[in-house]
DNA sequence: ATATTGTAGATTGTATCCAATTTTATGTTA
DNA sequence: TAACATAAAATTGGATACAATCTACAATAT
């Protein structure tokens, strides 16, 4: 595991940088579930003391991405299939409601913005950027819901499963289906059909869930 | 602001204790919105160094209860009326879904447990304990939903508005209405009527929201 | 009188060191 | 060889000390 300082913002504290670097490393799978993270090893990697490392780990722990036990260390948490399923159910409920609010306030400018994000998603070939571009599309629409608290909770839930989504996309071809489903959601929003947008959003999420769970089960039984 | 060590668990770290003490002090209103919390002052109060204080503040910040700015300090956050309204909308959505899952799995033992919690809520005269007993009742039912992630998010949302709920209950008499509504929800669960339980839960939450918002508006305009 | 500059205090962020406990390695004995 | 006791290493939690920056107030120049 290595880190460079190219993608940092100068105004952020060391703890912020370490937090984001570790978070991204967990997302990409560079740090795998179950792996041990030792504070002084991380401090050496980032050329800091353990203090900002501890703060970063504390934040990750609160988001559920790692778990720390005194005298033992910090390990990256893994989700059971049931936990993954529950989080997708949660997303379907919440994002369905959010898209309903969004359609209420929808305007042409937002539609255009979402269309561009949809195109960017469709034309991107690097599956590692799936998560980012997927969020760009959905958030372009969700922004119009004007429900900042809801959106923060959506982000939390997405973070929790991001590493699993990326692991799947390296091996499977869900992007083509996602692209089609995005188009459908966009069209429903464009025609101000709230019920349809909700139904398609829920189906989009629950379909991804089934696909991911199947992927996890075949992967785990293969071992 | 003073703290004693009577309500501590021996196994918890200093950071845990400080976190819970500050959290409770925010809930009770002992620490008010806008108030500045300085690290070394807190360290003196708790007879520790600033290190565990910082960790406690970091956790509070991620829950949205405080906000820290470098060189300036930490202040307790306040919610606008719009933010309060949104969180109640969020709760209605989420807790409605949770009670639906719960009714699916409902059994008589859970009903009895919830009935006892309902009675305890109804007979308690100390309004300061409203929050705790209210949660006891709802969680007794929600536990049967078997959706730990959903419940964690419900808790987060409740924490965010707990101080506002308590401030209201010192001055108004929402407890009698809450008691009646709890009875209704309990009966709906007892008769396994999921739709009714959902509707009553949503109405319970949205009614409390209206009541609280009205309270906040009259209080703020009175100044 | 007003604007500007400088200085001291206040406040958070980080480094270094110490304490407490678990885990692992080592040695001893049956 | 196996079991057990003991010591050494590893690891996190916390205390103390230092660095960086903001704020407030005073001093000074215009």
């Amino acid at each position: 595991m290595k880190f460079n300082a190219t993608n940092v913002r100068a105004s952020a504290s060391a703890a912020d940088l370490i937090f984001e670097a570790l978070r991204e490393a967990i997302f990409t799978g560079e740090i795998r579930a179950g792996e041990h993270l030792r504070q002084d090893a991380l401090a050496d990697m980032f050329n800091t003391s353990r203090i900002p490392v501890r703060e970063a780990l504390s934040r990750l722990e609160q988001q559920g991405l790692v778990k720390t036990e005194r005298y033992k260390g910090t390990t990256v948490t893994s989700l059971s299939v049931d936990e993954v399923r529950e989080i997708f159910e949660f997303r379907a409920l919440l994002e369905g409601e959010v898209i309903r609010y969004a359609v209420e306030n929808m305007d042409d400018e937002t539609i255009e913005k979402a269309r561009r994000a949809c195109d960017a998603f469709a034309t991107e070939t690097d599956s590692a950027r799936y998560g980012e571009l997927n969020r760009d599309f959905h958030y372009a629409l969700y922004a119009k819901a004007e429900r900042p608290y809801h959106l923060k909770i959506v982000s939390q839930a997405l973070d929790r499963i991001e590493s699993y989504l990326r692991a799947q996309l390296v091996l499977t071809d869900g992007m083509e289906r996602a692209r089609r489903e995005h188009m459908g959601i966009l069209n429903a929003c464009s025609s101000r059909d709230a019920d349809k947008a909700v139904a398609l959003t829920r189906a989009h999420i629950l379909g991804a869930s089934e696909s991911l769970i199947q992927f996890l089960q075949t992967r785990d039984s293969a071992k």
Side-chain angles (χ1 to χ4, degrees), chain A residues 22-198:
Chain A
L22 290 177
R23 183 170 167 272
E24 186 61 25
I26 291 171
F27 286 169
T28 64
E30 199 175 356
I31 308 177
R32 294 184 187 178
E35 189 166 336
H36 279 70
L37 303 176
R38 295 191 209 84
Q39 291 178 3
D40 48 3
L42 293 172
D44 288 346
M45 286 183 199
F46 290 103
N47 279 317
T48 67
S49 74
R50 282 169 45 221
I51 298 288
V53 170
R54 284 175 49 179
E55 184 170 332
L57 290 176
S58 165
R59 286 191 227 170
L60 292 171
E61 180 160 23
Q62 284 173 67
Q63 302 201 355
L65 293 174
V66 304
K67 183 165 177 56
T68 297
E69 284 177 295
R70 190 169 189 181
Y71 311 125
K72 295 192 175 177
T74 302
T75 56
V76 178
T77 56
S78 62
L79 294 175
S80 68
V81 167
D82 281 348
E83 288 169 324
V84 169
R85 184 182 293 115
E86 186 192 349
I87 291 174
F88 274 93
E89 278 179 2
F90 178 85
R91 284 187 55 204
L93 173 71
L94 186 50
E95 297 186 41
E97 187 80 351
V98 166
I99 200 73
R100 184 183 300 284
Y101 288 131
V103 171
E104 281 177 17
N105 304 328
M106 194 53 62
D107 58 25
D108 293 343
E109 186 186 355
T110 302
I111 295 288
E112 263 320 297
K113 210 165 168 180
R115 193 179 303 280
R116 283 194 297 275
C118 188
D119 291 345
F121 179 91
T123 56
E124 176 66 51
T125 56
D126 180 5
S127 67
R129 301 221 324 134
Y130 168 89
E132 187 185 345
L133 292 168
N134 186 54
R135 291 197 195 198
D136 285 349
F137 168 70
H138 287 288
Y139 285 6
L141 295 171
Y142 293 169
K144 265 293 157 186
E146 290 166 12
R147 295 291 192 286
Y149 185 81
H150 290 65
L151 290 190
K152 187 169 290 184
I153 305 297
V154 167
S155 286
Q156 266 188 35
L158 279 172
D159 282 356
R160 203 76 188 70
I161 53 170
E162 180 80 23
S163 66
Y164 294 84
L165 286 171
R166 292 201 195 178
Q168 176 192 25
L169 280 158
V170 172
L171 297 180
T172 67
D173 55 341
M175 289 189 75
E176 173 54 25
R177 194 183 69 188
R179 191 194 64 78
R180 284 199 313 274
E181 293 176 350
H182 284 180
M183 293 283 290
I185 292 167
L186 184 59
N187 288 335
C189 290
S190 178
S191 56
R192 311 300 196 264
D193 187 339
D195 288 341
K196 190 171 185 182
V198 172

